[in-house]
Amino acid sequence: MEKEEKLTLQFDPGTIEALGIKMYSQIPHALAELIANAWDAAAKKVMIHLEDDAERKIIVIDDGDGMSFTEVQDKFLRIGRHRRSDEERTNSLGRKITGKKGLGKLALFGIGKHISIFTARKDDKQAIKFELDWDEILLSSPTYFPKYELVEKDFQKGTKIILSELTRVSDFKPENIAMSLSKMFNCFDKNFTVNIKRNNENEIPLTREMRFSEIDIQEKWDVSDLLNEIALEFQKKYNISGTIQASRKPTRQDLRGITLYANGRLINEQGFFDVPEAGHAFSYLSGWIDADYIDEFPEDLIATDRQSLSWDLPEPQELKVVLSKLIRDVVNKWSVMRREANEKKISDVAAKNNINLEEWKDTLNSNIVTPLENVIKNLASNETDDFDEENSTFKKVIVPLHELVPEYAQFHFRYLHEKVQEACEINYKDKSYYNAVSEACKAYVSSVKDKVEQFGKPRPTESDHTLIGKYFGSEEKKLIKIALSATKANGKPLEDATQKNLESSQVYFSQGVVAGFRNPIAHELIPDLKESIITEKHCLDALSLISMLFERLDRSEKGGENA
């Protein structure tokens, strides 16, 4: 290289201003271009220094192949060079080149006015240092001659870029910048590391996972497996890979959606590919898809700012159709998974509150079970509920509902007399409905005998039918009277005829219950009578009638001295 040679930058100032300052006015977007350049230059390590203790500047160092004087002139300083037609598609490490338009070097002018660049190849004895100054570029239109010199190398190979005269005034926030950069690349691994640090603070390594570090992941799906499940004809089906994941709780808006990458670099920011909102599902879904083939077409399908594909072109449009089907499939899978997981959580919370859901439902008839299952299903679909044991919607709804509708709710809803419950509850729960009524009848007859003793007579020994006819009735001499304490709504005594009718009804009801539910079992096996003679509803109706007889007996008074 002869010393009198000059570096030359030919340009249109309006182009640089539009593509440099306006497109890359945010630090992460500008730094992303330098990281991409390092990737293309076969770098294995990139270090980003953010300095604001004294002079504010940004330093980016990579250990890539570096550039010779000729490469600086013919490649770096050539604005709008179509790289795909000028060089091989792979670098010295076999990586696919991601850059196309040669506009990345303009990115730094969006955040600073002065750029110092040091670059050297492995076998170079010295490094080339050259300067790019925004104010001088504007004054030198249309040809700018960057200042350069040969300097001693302080690195074996690679490129160091120093950006100064920064246009931003706020403090650097390396964590935020790192997070933004992690969303723009999907290539960080042991073979390509990028670290960022502010002043003397600890370095922050960029990873592909850090953008999801705040997400509590519940489920993951492999994109290749999902595509194999979808019945479609798509030639590039096996050139797509990635991961879609669902979180346990809704994620922040900026973390939702599926991001597209090609050769490790962002080609479309996160989204759902025009699939309409599916309830709350999109609040839980995130992930990435690698579609490297998109970067292989002669026509550039990626927007200059690399935030989106040109979806109106045929190849991206075909991809969008496939991805839309993929998202719909994931939403369906997520809905089933979420409901099943929530139902499991509901059962767990119920158990901690001494409620066994399945056993509870088994004790209820269909007209109660169906609404109960609908309540549980709706709760399981409640995507805003984290099912916290103390504050969950489930606990606030189901626990009080269980108190209102307990096991064997039909039995409790009848508000049966306590002695009826004591006598028949075991048989009722065993679905031995005939035995339940029979036992209630026995209890009633026994209570009648107790009442006779209470009124001063020896405990009766007559048959049930005779016993009832002997001690109940409208005649004045009958011992047990149920109508003496009954009154009208205004507190006045009932008419004599009404009292006599009530006394008679007690006889008829009592004898009818005993005759109807105790006598028929004498010649049949009990199991044969469960459904053919008495159903659960019939059992409950009979128990309610017996409870009425019990309540009347409880408030009965002593009548005459029966024969």
Side-chain angles (χ1 to χ4, degrees), residues 213-391:
S213 60
E214 298 180 12
I215 300 177
D216 183 9
I217 298 174
Q218 183 177 23
E219 185 69 35
K220 288 185 177 182
W221 295 276
D222 183 272
V223 169
S224 297
D225 293 340
L226 293 172
L227 288 174
N228 287 332
E229 293 176 9
I230 300 175
L232 50 80
E233 294 183 4
F234 181 53
Q235 291 184 346
K236 299 296 183 179
K237 178 178 180 179
Y238 300 103
N239 298 96
I240 296 176
S241 61
T243 297
I244 298 178
Q245 56 203 16
S247 60
R248 298 184 189 279
K249 297 181 180 181
T251 60
R252 293 201 323 257
Q253 184 69 38
D254 61 322
L255 298 178
R256 302 171 186 174
I258 314 303
T259 309
L260 290 186
Y261 298 91
N263 294 314
R265 195 174 178 194
L266 177 72
I267 59 174
N268 198 85
E269 61 185 3
Q270 67 261 32
F272 294 101
F273 314 109
D274 291 343
V275 176
E277 282 288 342
H280 293 285
F282 291 165
S283 300
Y284 293 79
L285 298 179
S286 60
W288 68 91
I289 292 176
D290 292 318
D292 294 349
Y293 81 93
I294 285 292
D295 220 10
E296 304 304 316
F297 290 97
E299 184 178 5
D300 194 355
L301 307 178
I302 307 169
T304 301
D305 62 359
R306 302 193 70 89
Q307 298 302 298
S308 67
L309 287 176
S310 299
W311 291 110
D312 56 327
L313 297 177
E315 293 84 359
Q317 184 62 41
E318 182 184 26
L319 177 61
K320 178 183 280 190
V321 171
V322 172
L323 295 181
S324 296
K325 292 182 179 179
L326 182 72
I327 294 301
R328 290 188 178 93
D329 183 51
V330 169
V331 168
N332 291 334
K333 292 179 182 296
W334 176 87
S335 298
V336 173
M337 176 211 72
R338 186 75 176 178
R339 186 180 66 253
E340 292 176 348
N342 287 351
E343 288 175 352
K344 175 62 168 58
K345 291 178 183 178
I346 286 175
S347 295
D348 292 343
V349 175
K352 291 179 180 179
N353 288 276
N354 300 315
I355 303 172
N356 185 309
L357 289 181
E358 294 307 313
E359 291 182 2
W360 180 20
K361 289 189 288 185
D362 286 344
T363 68
L364 307 175
N365 62 25
S366 60
N367 67 332
I368 297 179
V369 169
T370 300
L372 176 61
E373 289 180 336
N374 288 336
V375 169
I376 294 174
K377 181 178 179 181
N378 289 335
L379 288 175
S381 301
N382 182 4
E383 306 308 338
T384 62
D385 192 358
D386 61 8
F387 294 92
D388 176 78
E389 182 180 351
E390 294 303 321
N391 299 313

Side-chain angles (χ1 to χ4, degrees), residues 480-530:
I480 304 174
K481 295 292 185 181
I482 66 166
L484 293 178
S485 60
T487 61
K488 297 179 180 180
N490 59 11
K492 293 182 179 181
L494 298 175
E495 300 295 334
D496 290 343
T498 301
Q499 291 188 34
K500 288 182 179 182
N501 290 337
L502 284 174
E503 301 294 354
S504 297
S505 71
Q506 189 75 3
V507 178
Y508 302 145
F509 277 138
S510 299
Q511 290 179 331
V513 166
V514 171
F517 293 107
R518 292 196 63 191
N519 297 345
I521 67 172
H523 304 289
E524 296 288 349
L525 296 174
I526 297 300
D528 295 335
L529 300 173
K530 288 183 178 179

Side-chain angles (χ1 to χ4, degrees), residues 134-186:
W134 173 243
D135 291 334
E136 291 180 0
I137 288 175
L138 291 181
L139 292 174
S140 303
S141 175
T143 302
Y144 173 61
F145 300 99
K147 299 174 184 178
Y148 80 93
E149 60 180 318
L150 301 180
V151 297
E152 294 299 319
K153 291 199 300 183
D154 58 358
F155 51 87
Q156 184 181 23
K157 66 182 180 71
T159 300
K160 176 168 69 173
I161 297 177
I162 303 174
L163 177 64
S164 56
E165 298 182 28
L166 304 185
T167 54
R168 59 170 286 133
V169 295
S170 58
D171 291 338
F172 293 126
K173 295 182 178 179
E175 293 83 3
N176 294 348
I177 296 174
M179 182 64 74
S180 296
L181 289 172
S182 75
K183 299 176 183 178
M184 299 180 189
F185 295 90
N186 205 35

Side-chain angles (χ1 to χ4, degrees), residues 5 12 17 21 69 150 203 372 380 397 400 467 499 502 512:
E5 286 187 86
D12 177 351
E17 186 169 13
I21 292 179
F69 183 88
L150 301 180
E203 295 180 5
L372 176 61
V397 173
L467 170 73
Q499 291 188 34
L502 284 174

